[in-house]
Amino acid sequence: MSTETPSLAPPSEPKVIVIHGRKVVGGISEGEALVTRDHISGWGGIDPRTGSVIETRHELRGQSFAGKVLVFPGAKGSSGWSAMFHMTRLLKTAPAAFLFNEMTTKMALGAVVTHAPAMTGFDRDPLDCIETGDWVRVDAEAGVVEITKRG
């Protein structure tokens, strides 16, 4: 019978990536990332009661963004985008934060009425740095996004 103690490797530190961007709506928030390379339609594309994507051919169809950091290219569709995302705030199903690449008036207004921290104009594309399930801390005031890789 051996009396040697098995050597255990110390747990490795999680990988953290930091990117910088421009504040659209101020604030600090964090949560699990939900990432898509598809634009999101507000009017007819989301269900504000559940915070879910309902657009028929969208890769996130059936998934909820409620309380998550939503990472996506930007808004598509009509000016109803802001009204639908405003409803998510009222129904407490809004994203914790928005990270997006394409600034449009509907995207800006949607971010403002949602009251969630929002950023754009990044030094690195968040769609290349963040995966669904990563933990993301958004400090829109400082223009900093910290991504803790899952696993």
Side-chain angles (χ1 to χ4, degrees), residues 14-91:
K15 181 179 179 184
V16 176
I17 298 169
V18 177
I19 63 175
H20 298 88
R22 183 171 47 89
K23 171 180 80 172
V24 176
V25 176
I28 299 171
S29 186
E30 60 185 277
E32 182 181 343
L34 182 63
V35 181
T36 180
R37 289 191 174 273
D38 290 347
H39 289 74
I40 295 178
S41 176
W43 190 265
I46 68 164
D47 179 350
R49 295 169 299 167
T50 61
S52 296
V53 176
I54 60 171
E55 186 177 344
T56 304
R57 290 185 277 289
H58 200 283
E59 71 174 322
L60 294 182
R61 181 182 168 100
Q63 294 186 54
S64 176
F65 50 72
K68 296 183 179 175
V69 176
L70 186 56
V71 185
F72 63 119
K76 71 176 179 180
S78 72
S79 57
W81 206 92
S82 58
M84 297 306 283
F85 274 89
H86 174 70
M87 290 300 299
T88 66
R89 179 179 66 85
L90 296 175
L91 296 169

